[in-house]
Amino acid sequence: MKAEPQALSGGVKKRKKGKFVQYFKQFDLQLMVIPGLLFILVFNYIPMYGVLMSFQDYNIFEGMMKSEWVGLKHFSMFFNDPRFVEIMRNTIVLSLFKILICFPAPILLALMLNEIKNMAFKRTVQTVTYLPHFLSWVIVAGFAMSMLSTDNGSLNMALEKLNIIDEPINFLSKPEYFWTIIVTTNLWKTIGFNSIVFMAAIAGVSPQLYEAASLDGASRFKQMFLVTIPSIMPIIVIFMILEIGNLLNAGFEDLLLLGDAAILRSVSDVIDTYVYRVGIGSARYSYATAIGLFKAVISLGLLTLANYLARRSGNSLW
C-alpha cells in the first residue's frame, strides 16, 4: 500500500517529462507562435492597464498614479447622459440590421456559388464579390457619396429616368435613409470575403453524402437543405456566437465617414463614434474610457451567454 503514492508520483513526473520532451522536439514550431503571443500581449493585455482611467479624473500632466480617484462617477455620467438612450438605440439597431442582413448573405452566396458548374463564371463572380473587401472605407464612402450625389449621382439619375422622383434627393442629409445606406454599403463590402469561410466548409463536405441523397431522390435544392446546411452548421453557429458578442460593435469608420454631418448625428452616433468625439475631440479621457469599459463588459456577457446557449445544441467556442 505504501508503494502506491510513489508509483503515482513517478507517473506524474514521467508525464511532465514527456510534455517537456515533446515541447523541445517542436521547438521550431513553438518559435512561430511567439510573435502572435507577443502581439496579443502588447496590443491586448498591456493596454488593459489603461482602464484604471475610468475610475479617475485623469490628468494628462499628472499621469495615472497621481490622478484623483472618483469611483463610478464617469459611469454614472454616461448613464445619465441625455443622449444615452439614443446612442444605445443606434448601436443595437444598426448591429441587429447588420446581423440579420449581412450575416446570412455570405452563407447564401456560398451556397449559390457551390451550385455553379461553370468554373469560369464561378471564378468571375468570386473575384467581383471579393474585391470590395480590399478597398478602404475612405474609397467605399467616396463611391457611396458619388452614387448618391444630387449632382449627376447615378441613383438620382436612374430614379428620375424611371419617373419615380421629380427632383434629386440628397440621401446623405436625410436621417430616414441613413441606416439603409450603411447596411447596404457594409453588405457590398463584406459579402464576398466573408463567404470564403463558408465556401471552405462546404468544400469539406463528403461527396458520399450527396450521392446518398441523390440515390434517395433528393434534388439539388433538397440536397442543399438536407446535406450542405447541416454539415456547415457548426461553422455557422460559431460565427453567430462571435456576431452576438460583437453586438455593441456597430461600426466606426463607415459611420464616421458617411454620418459625420450634424443633421445625421441622431441616427449615426453609436458607442464607438461617441467615444471618439468625447475622448479625442473633447479630451475627456476618463469618461471615454468608462464608456469603453462598459461596452467591453456587456460584450463579454453577450459572448458568454451566446456560447452557453450554443453549447446546449452541441456547438460552442468553449
Side-chain angles (χ1 to χ4, degrees):
M1 296 296 291
K2 291 183 178 179
E4 289 183 1
Q6 294 179 355
L8 290 173
S9 62
V12 172
K13 288 180 180 178
K14 285 182 179 179
R15 282 197 295 271
K16 288 184 178 179
K17 186 178 179 180
K19 288 183 179 179
F20 282 115
V21 171
Q22 186 178 8
Y23 175 83
F24 283 109
K25 283 183 177 179
Q26 299 178 343
F27 187 70
D28 52 341
L29 298 177
Q30 304 295 339
L31 285 176
M32 296 174 64
V33 179
I34 291 176
L37 293 177
L38 289 175
F39 180 87
I40 294 173
L41 177 67
V42 172
F43 293 100
N44 292 83
Y45 282 90
I46 293 178
M48 290 176 68
Y49 174 70
V51 302
L52 294 176
M53 283 195 297
S54 60
F55 305 101
Q56 298 176 323
D57 271 334
Y58 178 71
N59 188 314
I60 192 172
F61 299 105
E62 295 182 355
M64 292 180 61
M65 300 305 296
K66 295 183 179 180
S67 296
E68 180 185 357
W69 293 88
V70 294
L72 301 177
K73 170 187 171 182
H74 299 292
F75 295 93
S76 178
M77 289 174 61
F78 178 55
F79 297 147
N80 293 314
D81 192 307
R83 299 199 61 203
F84 173 76
V85 175
E86 178 181 276
I87 291 168
M88 293 301 296
R89 180 205 64 187
N90 294 342
T91 302
I92 294 173
V93 171
L94 270 172
S95 292
L96 287 176
F97 277 146
K98 287 182 179 180
I99 291 174
L100 292 175
I101 296 174
C102 297
F103 178 74
I107 302 173
L108 294 175
L109 177 61
L111 292 171
M112 289 188 291
L113 288 174
N114 185 57
E115 299 301 318
I116 297 176
K117 301 305 179 185
N118 188 324
M119 295 305 298
F121 178 71
K122 182 177 180 178
R123 292 193 186 98
T124 302
V125 173
Q126 287 177 307
T127 302
V128 171
T129 55
Y130 293 171
L131 181 61
H133 171 80
F134 300 99
L135 302 177
S136 71
W137 267 112
V138 176
I139 298 175
V140 174
F143 284 162
M145 290 177 182
S146 177
M147 183 177 294
L148 301 174
S149 172
T150 55
D151 299 325
N152 299 321
S154 57
L155 181 60
N156 275 305
M157 292 176 64
L159 294 176
E160 287 180 336
K161 292 290 184 181
L162 295 171
N163 294 321
I164 297 177
I165 59 174
D166 297 325
E167 58 184 18
I169 299 173
N170 191 354
F171 291 99
L172 289 174
S173 67
K174 293 185 178 295
E176 58 267 27
Y177 297 122
F178 182 73
W179 288 348
T180 302
I181 294 170
I182 286 294
V183 174
T184 304
T185 52
N186 271 271
L187 178 63
W188 178 73
K189 190 176 190 301
T190 61
I191 183 172
F193 191 79
N194 290 348
S195 67
I196 293 176
V197 175
F198 301 106
M199 286 289 293
I202 292 172
V205 179
S206 174
Q208 295 178 354
L209 296 176
Y210 293 109
E211 292 175 4
S214 179
L215 290 174
D216 288 339
S219 63
R220 293 294 301 177
F221 188 75
K222 285 187 176 180
Q223 289 176 33
M224 184 189 301
F225 282 94
L226 298 176
V227 178
T228 309
I229 294 179
S231 297
I232 66 172
M233 188 56 68
I235 303 297
I236 295 175
V237 170
I238 289 173
F239 275 82
M240 190 64 188
I241 292 172
L242 296 175
E243 287 290 332
I244 294 174
N246 287 320
L247 184 65
L248 296 186
N249 290 325
F252 176 71
E253 291 176 314
D254 52 341
L255 297 169
L256 197 63
L257 291 167
L258 291 171
D260 194 46
I263 194 172
L264 296 175
R265 295 282 173 82
S266 61
V267 293
S268 68
D269 252 356
V270 296
I271 291 178
D272 289 334
T273 56
Y274 183 66
V275 166
Y276 169 76
R277 296 184 201 285
V278 299
I280 305 299
S282 303
R284 299 172 63 185
Y285 302 116
S286 294
Y287 183 60
T289 305
I291 299 173
L293 181 57
F294 161 75
K295 172 190 165 186
V297 171
I298 298 299
S299 297
L300 178 61
L302 290 171
L303 180 64
T304 305
L305 177 62
N307 186 76
Y308 170 75
L309 295 176
R311 193 191 308 151
R312 301 182 67 178
S313 66
N315 300 301
S316 62
L317 284 173
W318 69 85

